[in-house]
Amino acid sequence: MPSRAPILITGGAGYIGSHTYVALLEAGFLPVILDNFSRCKPGVLTRLQAITGQPVVCYGGNVSDVVLVQELLRQHKFGAVIHMAGFKSVGESVAHPLSYVENNIGGMTALLRAMETSSCRTLVFSSSATVYGDPPAAPITEDFPRSHTNPYGMTKLACEDLLSAMRAAAPAWRIGVLRYFNPVGAHASGLIGEDPTGTPNNLMPFVAQVAAGQRAYLSVHGVDYDTPDGTGVRDYIHVQDLAQAHVAAVKALLEGEESFTVNVGTGQGHSVLEVTKAFERASGQAIPYRLAPRRPGDVAQYCADCGLAQKLLGWRAKHSLADMCADTWRWQRDNPNGYDA
Ligand code: UD1
């Protein structure tokens, strides 16, 4: 498969998709976006064009539209598909479980149906560390037991299981499952980044808005965890490193690597207070915080063992927490309202 292979990114206009788009193009691939813009804004496309200096090939549509995806597969003869189109909010999934099943499992089912009618059997899937439930220890290796504690996690587990069944049924499938830890940061240009709708649920975008003065203070959810400073510890990974992990996964599969499931993190855990302090240093802004009760469903500590990704894909994260904070801050400072349109 030539390095100029066209690659379909479902959900490619989103936070992780847009960074992966740039990384694929820089690696010599021809990325094509399919996105229904339900969770992101079309303004990202102009930014992608500014970064890459090339027109962006993007189709507005739903991955659940089997006929549309079949037509795209026929027209572009993709070497691989990266399936990122999915909902990711735990709280929303608890309130609207059916939407999560329809969108995340339904989208995956439809994509596989469409791919079955094409010659493309190479797929990279965005899974999540959420499949480890409440892990018994850290660092977490890929053979840890899997479980779910909310409908979002259930959909990720179900998709992973469906992909295993597809591989068992037809060995021609080459499937790379990437279990993301906590993606943060933004492109170094400051042109693309995370643009959450409404109040951010996740720590880093919330901290960024406090630093920018858009929110008065951070609520630190839980100070009595069994961690060095009592606050929750996570394995934050720079979105640029995550984008490179997708490039490495696509390359490995196209070069004949068997299917795999790997953790994508840094192997380094950071507490909520460490992140807050690092962001203060990066931004030069004070970040007031208040101690608050634990968030329901949160776990004390998530930290990846990333040895398998390094061994199989030759990939490892390169960016530090300071880089993650500096890049998030540049994006936040330059785009206080995210993408305008
Ligand atoms: C969350 C999801 C996870 C999902 C990921 C997507 C939960 C329980 N988990 O991960 O399934 O894959 O987002 O990106 O929602 N925190 C605060 N104050 C805040 C926000 C967060 O103290 O305002 C703390 C949390 O308690 C946690 C840490 O910051 O200890 C990270 O939280 P967050 O960024 O939401 O990520 P996860 O909970 O790890």
Side-chain angles (χ1 to χ4, degrees):
M1 183 62 67
S3 65
R4 297 294 290 169
I7 309 291
L8 178 64
I9 318 175
T10 74
Y15 170 46
I16 298 165
S18 53
H19 290 80
T20 301
Y21 175 92
V22 175
L24 282 168
L25 203 64
E26 285 172 354
F29 292 101
L30 298 172
V32 171
I33 293 173
L34 170 66
D35 208 299
N36 65 4
F37 295 95
S38 68
R39 299 294 156 103
C40 58
K41 298 194 191 117
V44 68
L45 302 176
T46 342
R47 308 292 187 90
L48 288 176
Q49 185 157 340
I51 292 171
T52 63
Q54 296 185 40
V56 177
V57 185
C58 174
Y59 294 89
N62 205 317
V63 68
S64 301
D65 184 342
V66 178
V67 175
L68 169 66
V69 178
Q70 278 175 334
E71 176 53 26
L72 295 182
L73 286 159
R74 195 190 58 72
Q75 204 179 315
H76 290 277
K77 307 206 167 12
F78 295 113
V81 177
I82 302 178
H83 180 44
M84 296 191 179
F87 293 160
K88 64 145 215 173
S89 160
V90 170
E92 186 185 51
S93 80
V94 173
H96 304 287
L98 204 48
S99 298
Y100 270 66
V101 169
E102 268 168 7
N103 190 69
N104 291 5
I105 304 178
M108 170 62 91
T109 313
L111 174 63
L112 293 169
R113 274 276 178 236
M115 288 179 75
E116 270 195 335
T117 65
S118 80
S119 58
C120 181
R121 295 281 184 285
T122 304
L123 178 66
V124 174
F125 173 59
S126 304
S127 189
S128 164
T130 196
V131 300
Y132 295 115
D134 193 351
I140 302 168
T141 49
E142 289 80 356
D143 55 1
F144 267 38
R146 298 177 315 146
S147 64
H148 63 80
T149 51
N150 55 66
Y152 163 71
M154 179 184 78
T155 65
K156 290 293 178 191
L157 269 182
C159 287
E160 285 199 359
D161 288 342
L162 174 57
L163 293 175
S164 299
M166 295 298 287
R167 283 196 297 260
W173 283 99
R174 285 184 192 282
I175 299 174
V177 173
L178 303 184
R179 291 181 178 155
Y180 304 169
F181 278 66
N182 287 61
V184 297
H187 192 263
S189 65
L191 287 171
I192 57 172
E194 187 170 10
D195 184 14
T197 317
T199 307
N201 294 312
N202 298 120
L203 178 66
M204 191 67 95
F206 200 103
V207 165
Q209 292 189 4
V210 176
Q214 294 174 355
R215 300 193 183 272
Y217 62 90
L218 168 73
S219 294
V220 176
H221 291 302
V223 289
D224 55 353
Y225 285 110
D226 185 14
T227 59
D229 66 16
T231 66
V233 168
R234 296 291 183 272
D235 186 337
Y236 297 94
I237 173 165
H238 198 296
V239 66
Q240 294 281 79
D241 283 328
L242 182 54
Q244 291 301 335
H246 290 84
V247 173
V250 165
K251 277 188 180 161
L253 292 169
L254 293 182
E255 285 164 9
E257 180 65 63
E258 291 302 313
S259 296
F260 53 81
T261 297
V262 293
N263 289 336
V264 185
T266 64
Q268 293 274 316
H270 295 289
S271 74
V272 174
L273 292 181
E274 276 177 329
V275 171
T276 307
K277 294 294 160 213
F279 209 96
E280 283 186 331
R281 283 192 294 275
S283 64
Q285 307 295 314
I287 301 176
Y289 63 85
R290 292 186 190 170
L291 308 183
R294 290 184 179 193
R295 205 169 54 171
D298 262 0
V299 302
Q301 179 145 237
Y302 258 118
C303 190
D305 182 315
C306 300
L308 191 60
Q310 177 149 19
K311 184 168 153 231
L312 293 182
L313 310 181
W315 171 91
R316 69 180 175 83
K318 298 191 173 124
H319 291 86
S320 66
L321 180 62
D323 299 333
M324 300 178 211
C325 294
D327 290 337
T328 303
W329 176 239
R330 186 182 304 105
W331 158 254
Q332 175 69 44
R333 189 195 56 200
D334 296 353
N335 308 271
N337 302 312
Y339 300 109
D340 293 327

